[in-house]
Amino acid sequence: MLKSKKNYCLILASGGLDSTGCIKFYKNLKFDVELLFVDYGQPANKFEFNALKKISKHYRIKVKRIVLKNSEVFKPGVIAGRNAFLLFTALLNFKKKNGTIACGVHAGTNYFDCSKDFVKIMQELFDKYTQNTVKIGVPFLTFTKMEIYNYCISEKIPIELTYSCELGTKKPCGHCNTCKDLKVIYASQK
């Protein structure tokens, strides 16, 4: 009798709350999980990757880092095409015949690339490129940041290992959109 292979998931991981929640989500489903960190010149890349190394050690998961050179200097806020770019970068680095590429996009933002329409369009493109063998996993697509936080707490995810700040300062700035989201969450827990 042949052993069945585990489902495979490559998670676009940033070292933040959302992608760390994805790790636990797919581990709970018994997927074979690997992590991909894309350093595209974002200000927080060093702190994000350091957090991700701690997270990957905690979960005993392999992490691959890709460094891309870009002359653009990215600022906090919307980066047009960012999630599409990250998903296509993951697809370029997807070495299995089938499986899932997951990311932590979620509800509660005005960003197009965090919407159901965006995911649908990207899945249609993935289906064409892969003959329907690679799916986009977005377990938190309908979750708010608060719901992701509550999920992480209920699943005993080590959120103290995560890092989230668009400015990439050693101590999160407290002023960027990501920090503001987290301030609201932490204030509600007091």
Side-chain angles (χ1 to χ4, degrees):
M1 180 154 63
L2 291 174
K3 278 186 163 180
S4 64
K5 292 184 178 179
K6 282 186 171 183
N7 288 324
Y8 174 74
C9 184
L10 179 63
I11 298 175
L12 281 162
S14 67
L17 190 68
D18 310 328
S19 61
T20 303
C22 283
I23 294 168
K24 182 67 171 169
F25 180 86
Y26 284 99
K27 293 285 283 177
N28 285 348
L29 293 175
K30 308 288 189 226
F31 274 64
D32 179 18
V33 174
E34 290 184 12
L35 307 176
L36 178 64
F37 179 80
V38 181
D39 175 347
Y40 57 91
Q42 68 272 38
N45 67 61
K46 290 181 179 94
F47 294 111
E48 289 175 346
F49 188 63
N50 286 337
L52 185 57
K53 287 190 293 187
K54 293 173 191 169
I55 293 161
S56 68
K57 184 177 180 182
H58 173 83
Y59 285 109
R60 297 184 187 122
I61 300 174
K62 185 168 79 172
V63 60
K64 178 179 180 178
R65 180 181 189 189
I66 296 174
V67 179
L68 302 168
K69 299 290 182 191
N70 192 331
S71 61
E72 181 66 31
V73 176
F74 295 102
K75 295 179 175 93
V78 177
I79 299 174
R82 178 182 169 270
N83 284 341
F85 159 74
L86 292 172
L87 284 166
F88 278 124
T89 301
L91 185 60
L92 281 168
N93 288 274
F94 196 82
K95 301 303 178 203
K96 304 286 184 177
K97 291 184 179 180
N98 57 54
T100 301
I101 294 174
C103 60
V105 299
H106 58 84
T109 75
N110 293 326
Y111 303 152
F112 170 70
D113 63 358
C114 289
S115 69
K116 290 179 184 179
D117 286 342
F118 168 76
V119 173
K120 181 178 181 265
I121 291 165
M122 291 301 294
Q123 186 61 64
E124 288 170 0
L125 291 169
F126 270 41
D127 289 346
K128 298 289 185 192
Y129 280 115
T130 69
Q131 291 74 47
N132 304 312
T133 62
V134 178
K135 299 299 174 197
I136 297 173
V138 284
F140 305 130
L141 185 60
T142 61
F143 283 42
T144 64
K145 186 67 98 170
M146 180 65 83
E147 289 170 318
I148 296 170
Y149 174 80
N150 289 334
Y151 172 82
C152 290
I153 294 300
S154 71
E155 291 293 325
K156 297 179 178 36
I157 292 169
I159 59 173
E160 70 279 1
L161 299 180
T162 65
Y163 176 87
S164 296
C165 177
E166 295 172 23
L167 293 181
T169 56
K170 186 173 184 177
K171 183 178 177 192
C173 72
H175 305 291
C176 69
N177 289 336
T178 301
C179 285
K180 287 178 185 175
D181 283 347
L182 293 174
K183 264 186 182 177
V184 169
I185 290 169
Y186 296 137
S188 73
Q189 303 304 308
K190 293 180 181 181

